[in-house]
Amino acid sequence: MRITTLAEYGVICALHLARRPSQEPVTGRDIAARERLPVDYVEQILLRLRRAGLVHSTRGARGGYALAR
């Protein structure tokens, strides 16, 4: 079974959000920097996760992404 980089990075992003001790939103840029992933690719992945209902986003200066469940 082959796992695409999209799926692998998606799991990495979801796990990063799950491991956070607080429920405060984190930006895609921060996730990419801490996990050493491409920023543009992480933003696309987070958009797909948001559309799937796995994460929710908050706009604004203190905005970002957090797990929906």
mmCIF file of all heavy atoms in Angstrom, residues 16-17 20 23-31 42-43 46-47 49-50 54-68:
data_model
loop_
_atom_site.group_PDB
_atom_site.id
_atom_site.type_symbol
_atom_site.label_atom_id
_atom_site.label_comp_id
_atom_site.label_asym_id
_atom_site.label_seq_id
_atom_site.Cartn_x
_atom_site.Cartn_y
_atom_site.Cartn_z
ATOM 1 N N HIS A 16 0.015 17.209 14.916
ATOM 2 C CA HIS A 16 0.580 18.421 15.515
ATOM 3 C C HIS A 16 -0.504 19.193 16.267
ATOM 4 O O HIS A 16 -0.272 19.649 17.393
ATOM 5 C CB HIS A 16 1.207 19.304 14.434
ATOM 6 C CG HIS A 16 1.810 20.557 14.973
ATOM 7 N ND1 HIS A 16 3.086 20.609 15.471
ATOM 8 C CD2 HIS A 16 1.301 21.801 15.118
ATOM 9 C CE1 HIS A 16 3.340 21.835 15.892
ATOM 10 N NE2 HIS A 16 2.270 22.584 15.689
ATOM 11 N N LEU A 17 -1.668 19.319 15.652
ATOM 12 C CA LEU A 17 -2.770 20.020 16.313
ATOM 13 C C LEU A 17 -3.264 19.250 17.533
ATOM 14 O O LEU A 17 -3.647 19.842 18.540
ATOM 15 C CB LEU A 17 -3.911 20.244 15.328
ATOM 16 C CG LEU A 17 -3.619 21.230 14.197
ATOM 17 C CD1 LEU A 17 -4.755 21.210 13.181
ATOM 18 C CD2 LEU A 17 -3.413 22.626 14.745
ATOM 19 N N ARG A 20 -1.033 19.620 20.822
ATOM 20 C CA ARG A 20 -0.942 20.931 21.469
ATOM 21 C C ARG A 20 -1.704 20.909 22.793
ATOM 22 O O ARG A 20 -2.834 20.453 22.850
ATOM 23 C CB ARG A 20 -1.504 22.011 20.568
ATOM 24 C CG ARG A 20 -0.673 22.204 19.316
ATOM 25 C CD ARG A 20 -1.164 23.334 18.479
ATOM 26 N NE ARG A 20 -1.343 24.575 19.201
ATOM 27 C CZ ARG A 20 -0.374 25.427 19.500
ATOM 28 N NH1 ARG A 20 0.845 25.146 19.145
ATOM 29 N NH2 ARG A 20 -0.627 26.537 20.142
ATOM 30 N N GLN A 23 -6.040 24.842 23.302
ATOM 31 C CA GLN A 23 -6.929 24.805 22.147
ATOM 32 C C GLN A 23 -6.823 26.072 21.306
ATOM 33 O O GLN A 23 -7.639 26.294 20.436
ATOM 34 C CB GLN A 23 -8.377 24.615 22.622
ATOM 35 C CG GLN A 23 -8.627 23.276 23.273
ATOM 36 C CD GLN A 23 -8.395 22.127 22.306
ATOM 37 O OE1 GLN A 23 -8.680 22.226 21.127
ATOM 38 N NE2 GLN A 23 -7.862 21.040 22.814
ATOM 39 N N GLU A 24 -5.823 26.900 21.570
ATOM 40 C CA GLU A 24 -5.638 28.123 20.798
ATOM 41 C C GLU A 24 -5.266 27.774 19.369
ATOM 42 O O GLU A 24 -4.541 26.815 19.124
ATOM 43 C CB GLU A 24 -4.533 28.970 21.416
ATOM 44 C CG GLU A 24 -4.891 29.534 22.767
ATOM 45 C CD GLU A 24 -3.771 30.383 23.326
ATOM 46 O OE1 GLU A 24 -2.810 30.676 22.583
ATOM 47 O OE2 GLU A 24 -3.854 30.732 24.500
ATOM 48 N N PRO A 25 -5.752 28.559 18.414
ATOM 49 C CA PRO A 25 -5.416 28.278 17.010
ATOM 50 C C PRO A 25 -3.940 28.484 16.728
ATOM 51 O O PRO A 25 -3.278 29.312 17.344
ATOM 52 C CB PRO A 25 -6.247 29.293 16.230
ATOM 53 C CG PRO A 25 -7.144 29.954 17.186
ATOM 54 C CD PRO A 25 -6.677 29.670 18.552
ATOM 55 N N VAL A 26 -3.431 27.723 15.794
ATOM 56 C CA VAL A 26 -2.035 27.833 15.360
ATOM 57 C C VAL A 26 -2.043 28.035 13.847
ATOM 58 O O VAL A 26 -2.869 27.467 13.134
ATOM 59 C CB VAL A 26 -1.223 26.582 15.772
ATOM 60 C CG1 VAL A 26 -1.759 25.331 15.144
ATOM 61 C CG2 VAL A 26 0.233 26.746 15.453
ATOM 62 N N THR A 27 -1.145 28.864 13.356
ATOM 63 C CA THR A 27 -1.120 29.154 11.931
ATOM 64 C C THR A 27 -0.482 28.004 11.153
ATOM 65 O O THR A 27 0.309 27.218 11.693
ATOM 66 C CB THR A 27 -0.329 30.444 11.644
ATOM 67 O OG1 THR A 27 1.031 30.234 12.033
ATOM 68 C CG2 THR A 27 -0.917 31.625 12.378
ATOM 69 N N GLY A 28 -0.826 27.945 9.896
ATOM 70 C CA GLY A 28 -0.228 26.943 9.025
ATOM 71 C C GLY A 28 1.262 27.144 8.877
ATOM 72 O O GLY A 28 2.032 26.189 8.780
ATOM 73 N N ARG A 29 1.676 28.393 8.902
ATOM 74 C CA ARG A 29 3.107 28.709 8.809
ATOM 75 C C ARG A 29 3.868 28.140 10.015
ATOM 76 O O ARG A 29 4.976 27.619 9.880
ATOM 77 C CB ARG A 29 3.289 30.218 8.720
ATOM 78 C CG ARG A 29 4.691 30.661 8.457
ATOM 79 C CD ARG A 29 4.779 32.165 8.236
ATOM 80 N NE ARG A 29 3.963 32.628 7.138
ATOM 81 C CZ ARG A 29 4.365 32.646 5.865
ATOM 82 N NH1 ARG A 29 5.568 32.226 5.566
ATOM 83 N NH2 ARG A 29 3.571 33.090 4.921
ATOM 84 N N ASP A 30 3.275 28.225 11.213
ATOM 85 C CA ASP A 30 3.918 27.672 12.410
ATOM 86 C C ASP A 30 4.010 26.151 12.335
ATOM 87 O O ASP A 30 5.032 25.567 12.705
ATOM 88 C CB ASP A 30 3.145 28.070 13.667
ATOM 89 C CG ASP A 30 3.315 29.530 14.026
ATOM 90 O OD1 ASP A 30 4.280 30.150 13.544
ATOM 91 O OD2 ASP A 30 2.478 30.052 14.783
ATOM 92 N N ILE A 31 2.942 25.522 11.880
ATOM 93 C CA ILE A 31 2.960 24.059 11.734
ATOM 94 C C ILE A 31 4.052 23.651 10.757
ATOM 95 O O ILE A 31 4.827 22.725 11.027
ATOM 96 C CB ILE A 31 1.584 23.536 11.272
ATOM 97 C CG1 ILE A 31 0.532 23.766 12.352
ATOM 98 C CG2 ILE A 31 1.663 22.052 10.938
ATOM 99 C CD1 ILE A 31 -0.887 23.446 11.905
ATOM 100 N N VAL A 42 1.302 22.817 3.213
ATOM 101 C CA VAL A 42 0.589 22.705 4.492
ATOM 102 C C VAL A 42 -0.708 23.515 4.448
ATOM 103 O O VAL A 42 -1.750 23.048 4.931
ATOM 104 C CB VAL A 42 1.493 23.148 5.667
ATOM 105 C CG1 VAL A 42 0.691 23.330 6.943
ATOM 106 C CG2 VAL A 42 2.603 22.138 5.881
ATOM 107 N N GLU A 43 -0.669 24.693 3.860
ATOM 108 C CA GLU A 43 -1.883 25.507 3.752
ATOM 109 C C GLU A 43 -2.940 24.792 2.912
ATOM 110 O O GLU A 43 -4.125 24.812 3.251
ATOM 111 C CB GLU A 43 -1.563 26.876 3.145
ATOM 112 C CG GLU A 43 -0.767 27.782 4.054
ATOM 113 C CD GLU A 43 -1.535 28.250 5.273
ATOM 114 O OE1 GLU A 43 -2.774 28.193 5.282
ATOM 115 O OE2 GLU A 43 -0.881 28.698 6.226
ATOM 116 N N LEU A 46 -4.359 21.941 5.084
ATOM 117 C CA LEU A 46 -5.251 22.436 6.126
ATOM 118 C C LEU A 46 -6.586 22.882 5.545
ATOM 119 O O LEU A 46 -7.632 22.709 6.181
ATOM 120 C CB LEU A 46 -4.579 23.573 6.896
ATOM 121 C CG LEU A 46 -3.416 23.140 7.792
ATOM 122 C CD1 LEU A 46 -2.666 24.357 8.316
ATOM 123 C CD2 LEU A 46 -3.900 22.272 8.931
ATOM 124 N N LEU A 47 -6.570 23.408 4.347
ATOM 125 C CA LEU A 47 -7.815 23.772 3.675
ATOM 126 C C LEU A 47 -8.668 22.535 3.417
ATOM 127 O O LEU A 47 -9.874 22.536 3.660
ATOM 128 C CB LEU A 47 -7.519 24.506 2.365
ATOM 129 C CG LEU A 47 -8.726 24.949 1.550
ATOM 130 C CD1 LEU A 47 -9.531 25.984 2.335
ATOM 131 C CD2 LEU A 47 -8.284 25.516 0.220
ATOM 132 N N LEU A 49 -8.498 19.693 5.107
ATOM 133 C CA LEU A 49 -8.946 19.192 6.407
ATOM 134 C C LEU A 49 -10.111 20.019 6.940
ATOM 135 O O LEU A 49 -11.023 19.488 7.564
ATOM 136 C CB LEU A 49 -7.789 19.203 7.405
ATOM 137 C CG LEU A 49 -6.667 18.193 7.154
ATOM 138 C CD1 LEU A 49 -5.524 18.418 8.141
ATOM 139 C CD2 LEU A 49 -7.173 16.773 7.257
ATOM 140 N N ARG A 50 -10.085 21.322 6.669
ATOM 141 C CA ARG A 50 -11.192 22.185 7.096
ATOM 142 C C ARG A 50 -12.465 21.839 6.344
ATOM 143 O O ARG A 50 -13.532 21.730 6.936
ATOM 144 C CB ARG A 50 -10.840 23.656 6.887
ATOM 145 C CG ARG A 50 -11.911 24.614 7.408
ATOM 146 C CD ARG A 50 -11.515 26.054 7.231
ATOM 147 N NE ARG A 50 -11.298 26.440 5.848
ATOM 148 C CZ ARG A 50 -12.282 26.809 5.015
ATOM 149 N NH1 ARG A 50 -13.529 26.834 5.421
ATOM 150 N NH2 ARG A 50 -11.994 27.151 3.781
ATOM 151 N N LEU A 54 -12.514 18.295 9.843
ATOM 152 C CA LEU A 54 -11.596 17.804 10.870
ATOM 153 C C LEU A 54 -10.936 18.927 11.663
ATOM 154 O O LEU A 54 -10.574 18.742 12.819
ATOM 155 C CB LEU A 54 -10.521 16.923 10.237
ATOM 156 C CG LEU A 54 -11.055 15.665 9.556
ATOM 157 C CD1 LEU A 54 -9.936 14.936 8.842
ATOM 158 C CD2 LEU A 54 -11.720 14.756 10.568
ATOM 159 N N VAL A 55 -10.762 20.070 11.028
ATOM 160 C CA VAL A 55 -10.218 21.236 11.717
ATOM 161 C C VAL A 55 -11.128 22.424 11.440
ATOM 162 O O VAL A 55 -11.898 22.407 10.488
ATOM 163 C CB VAL A 55 -8.768 21.565 11.280
ATOM 164 C CG1 VAL A 55 -7.826 20.426 11.549
ATOM 165 C CG2 VAL A 55 -8.704 21.979 9.835
ATOM 166 N N HIS A 56 -11.061 23.401 12.303
ATOM 167 C CA HIS A 56 -11.788 24.643 12.030
ATOM 168 C C HIS A 56 -10.781 25.792 12.074
ATOM 169 O O HIS A 56 -9.742 25.709 12.728
ATOM 170 C CB HIS A 56 -12.970 24.862 12.983
ATOM 171 C CG HIS A 56 -12.579 25.157 14.389
ATOM 172 N ND1 HIS A 56 -12.297 24.169 15.289
ATOM 173 C CD2 HIS A 56 -12.425 26.325 15.043
ATOM 174 C CE1 HIS A 56 -11.980 24.721 16.445
ATOM 175 N NE2 HIS A 56 -12.042 26.024 16.328
ATOM 176 N N SER A 57 -11.100 26.821 11.334
ATOM 177 C CA SER A 57 -10.176 27.941 11.229
ATOM 178 C C SER A 57 -10.778 29.183 11.851
ATOM 179 O O SER A 57 -11.992 29.351 11.895
ATOM 180 C CB SER A 57 -9.819 28.200 9.760
ATOM 181 O OG SER A 57 -10.976 28.535 9.034
ATOM 182 N N THR A 58 -9.893 30.041 12.317
ATOM 183 C CA THR A 58 -10.271 31.320 12.894
ATOM 184 C C THR A 58 -9.501 32.392 12.142
ATOM 185 O O THR A 58 -8.289 32.274 11.973
ATOM 186 C CB THR A 58 -9.905 31.368 14.388
ATOM 187 O OG1 THR A 58 -10.478 30.242 15.039
ATOM 188 C CG2 THR A 58 -10.389 32.650 15.019
ATOM 189 N N ARG A 59 -10.208 33.402 11.702
ATOM 190 C CA ARG A 59 -9.573 34.482 10.970
ATOM 191 C C ARG A 59 -9.091 35.559 11.924
ATOM 192 O O ARG A 59 -9.530 35.629 13.060
ATOM 193 C CB ARG A 59 -10.560 35.073 9.981
ATOM 194 C CG ARG A 59 -10.968 34.086 8.909
ATOM 195 C CD ARG A 59 -11.945 34.689 7.982
ATOM 196 N NE ARG A 59 -11.277 35.737 7.209
ATOM 197 C CZ ARG A 59 -11.776 36.290 6.125
ATOM 198 N NH1 ARG A 59 -12.951 35.915 5.690
ATOM 199 N NH2 ARG A 59 -11.120 37.218 5.493
ATOM 200 N N GLY A 60 -8.172 36.370 11.447
ATOM 201 C CA GLY A 60 -7.721 37.510 12.228
ATOM 202 C C GLY A 60 -6.286 37.393 12.670
ATOM 203 O O GLY A 60 -5.575 36.447 12.349
ATOM 204 N N ALA A 61 -5.878 38.367 13.463
ATOM 205 C CA ALA A 61 -4.492 38.435 13.914
ATOM 206 C C ALA A 61 -4.123 37.250 14.806
ATOM 207 O O ALA A 61 -3.000 36.781 14.784
ATOM 208 C CB ALA A 61 -4.244 39.726 14.671
ATOM 209 N N ARG A 62 -5.059 36.769 15.578
ATOM 210 C CA ARG A 62 -4.802 35.624 16.446
ATOM 211 C C ARG A 62 -5.447 34.358 15.902
ATOM 212 O O ARG A 62 -5.736 33.431 16.647
ATOM 213 C CB ARG A 62 -5.323 35.899 17.842
ATOM 214 C CG ARG A 62 -4.628 37.079 18.463
ATOM 215 C CD ARG A 62 -4.544 36.935 19.905
ATOM 216 N NE ARG A 62 -3.716 38.019 20.427
ATOM 217 C CZ ARG A 62 -3.311 38.052 21.643
ATOM 218 N NH1 ARG A 62 -3.671 37.125 22.472
ATOM 219 N NH2 ARG A 62 -2.555 39.038 22.042
ATOM 220 N N GLY A 63 -5.671 34.349 14.609
ATOM 221 C CA GLY A 63 -6.341 33.231 13.967
ATOM 222 C C GLY A 63 -5.398 32.089 13.662
ATOM 223 O O GLY A 63 -4.199 32.143 13.895
ATOM 224 N N GLY A 64 -5.988 31.042 13.120
ATOM 225 C CA GLY A 64 -5.218 29.853 12.760
ATOM 226 C C GLY A 64 -6.139 28.657 12.698
ATOM 227 O O GLY A 64 -7.349 28.787 12.481
ATOM 228 N N TYR A 65 -5.589 27.500 12.933
ATOM 229 C CA TYR A 65 -6.329 26.249 12.845
ATOM 230 C C TYR A 65 -6.294 25.509 14.172
ATOM 231 O O TYR A 65 -5.319 25.581 14.915
ATOM 232 C CB TYR A 65 -5.714 25.348 11.765
ATOM 233 C CG TYR A 65 -5.818 25.931 10.385
ATOM 234 C CD1 TYR A 65 -4.800 26.722 9.866
ATOM 235 C CD2 TYR A 65 -6.933 25.708 9.601
ATOM 236 C CE1 TYR A 65 -4.889 27.259 8.599
ATOM 237 C CE2 TYR A 65 -7.032 26.235 8.331
ATOM 238 C CZ TYR A 65 -6.015 27.010 7.839
ATOM 239 O OH TYR A 65 -6.116 27.550 6.580
ATOM 240 N N ALA A 66 -7.394 24.804 14.452
ATOM 241 C CA ALA A 66 -7.490 23.959 15.642
ATOM 242 C C ALA A 66 -8.337 22.761 15.291
ATOM 243 O O ALA A 66 -9.141 22.803 14.337
ATOM 244 C CB ALA A 66 -8.118 24.729 16.809
ATOM 245 N N LEU A 67 -8.189 21.682 16.026
ATOM 246 C CA LEU A 67 -9.006 20.500 15.771
ATOM 247 C C LEU A 67 -10.466 20.801 16.045
ATOM 248 O O LEU A 67 -10.798 21.490 17.008
ATOM 249 C CB LEU A 67 -8.566 19.335 16.656
ATOM 250 C CG LEU A 67 -7.275 18.617 16.257
ATOM 251 C CD1 LEU A 67 -6.986 17.488 17.242
ATOM 252 C CD2 LEU A 67 -7.352 18.079 14.854
ATOM 253 N N ALA A 68 -11.328 20.271 15.217
ATOM 254 C CA ALA A 68 -12.761 20.498 15.373
ATOM 255 C C ALA A 68 -13.358 19.538 16.380
ATOM 256 O O ALA A 68 -14.382 19.831 16.984
ATOM 257 C CB ALA A 68 -13.462 20.365 14.032
#
